[in-house]
Amino acid sequence: MDKGIHIEGLSKRYGEGDTAVDALKEVNMNVAPGEVVGLIGPSGSGKTTLLKCLGAVIEPTRGRMTLGGEVIYDNGWKISDLRVLRRDRIGFVFQAPYLIPFLDVTDNVALLPMLAGRPNGESRTRALELLQALDVSHRAKAETSELSGGEQQRVSIARALANRPPVILADEPTAPLDSERALAVMRILNQMASQYQTAIIVVTHDEKIIPTFKRIYHIRDGRTFEEAGEGRSL
């Protein structure tokens, strides 16, 4: 089995009896290493629930999830420490960058490897490599408040990659950006996916970036439907 994302028969029910709500219904999804896949659907369709299940934030009701070649859930969690799983195996990119204001750019990126027990020097070297790859190394010593919106999002992507996770979950990463910066973020995510063989899911309502996906999963009423995307060149 490759080291991407594999979801089989994933379901999530909230509540019991007559008030039960099935947020996810037998969801199946596959994302290969190096691939960026879009997940789109109306509000209340199950996108957020699916992302929270994949991110080990909430527990599914049943099904199976494999991340990076490791089964993390099979009708119950197979990982003893979900905090370590989230820290080391899953990168998160959100609509807001959520950078730490009292740390400079390098320390924002180096923090996760340090928390994972890697030496400070090694963590900072990794951070600087990512900032260089994302063309923001000239801001390495800057305070986060000094960055533009596009620069902040690049730093958040660097942070997501810092522990070399096999999976990145991006929730509306381009929503606050104009067309040029939104497409730049998608270009970066595709470059990083290819370079580091990371499987990336992007949840979005942003019509500007939907044509960039080669594959798209639609989610409606808790069920997913796959279709080929346009895959326009970035």
Side-chain angles (χ1 to χ4, degrees), residues 6-17:
H6 303 279
I7 306 171
E8 304 168 50
L10 197 72
S11 298
K12 175 61 179 177
R13 171 173 287 186
Y14 293 105
E16 298 179 358

Side-chain angles (χ1 to χ4, degrees), residues 18-78:
D18 294 340
T19 61
V21 175
D22 290 311
L24 299 177
K25 305 171 184 176
E26 301 290 330
V27 167
N28 297 295
M29 179 183 289
N30 293 290
V31 184
E35 186 177 26
V36 181
V37 167
L39 177 64
I40 64 177
S43 297
S45 60
K47 300 188 304 299
T48 298
T49 297
L50 179 55
L51 216 64
K52 286 181 176 180
C53 287
L54 274 170
V57 175
I58 62 174
E59 183 171 0
T61 303
R62 62 182 179 275
R64 179 182 171 95
M65 296 190 296
T66 304
L67 301 183
E70 181 178 9
V71 177
I72 68 164
Y73 182 88
D74 191 355
N75 295 318
W77 293 115
K78 301 301 178 183

Side-chain angles (χ1 to χ4, degrees), residues 107-177:
D107 284 341
N108 262 277
V109 179
L111 181 61
L112 280 179
M114 289 179 187
L115 292 174
R118 295 182 176 86
N120 289 6
E122 177 186 328
S123 299
R124 292 178 64 82
T125 297
R126 169 67 174 167
L128 291 170
E129 288 172 353
L130 288 168
L131 294 172
Q132 178 70 37
L134 290 164
D135 198 27
V136 280
S137 59
H138 62 293
R139 304 296 251 159
K141 296 184 182 299
E143 300 298 321
T144 58
S145 60
E146 300 170 5
L147 306 181
S148 69
E151 288 172 336
Q152 288 186 17
Q153 199 62 303
R154 287 175 183 235
V155 174
S156 74
I157 292 170
R159 179 182 58 193
L161 288 160
N163 274 334
R164 297 178 173 84
V167 168
I168 286 181
L169 306 177
D171 189 7
E172 300 283 2
T174 64
L177 304 177

Side-chain angles (χ1 to χ4, degrees), residues 89-100:
R89 307 285 290 167
I90 306 169
F92 296 93
V93 180
F94 302 101
Q95 179 175 336
Y98 294 118
L99 301 176
I100 300 173

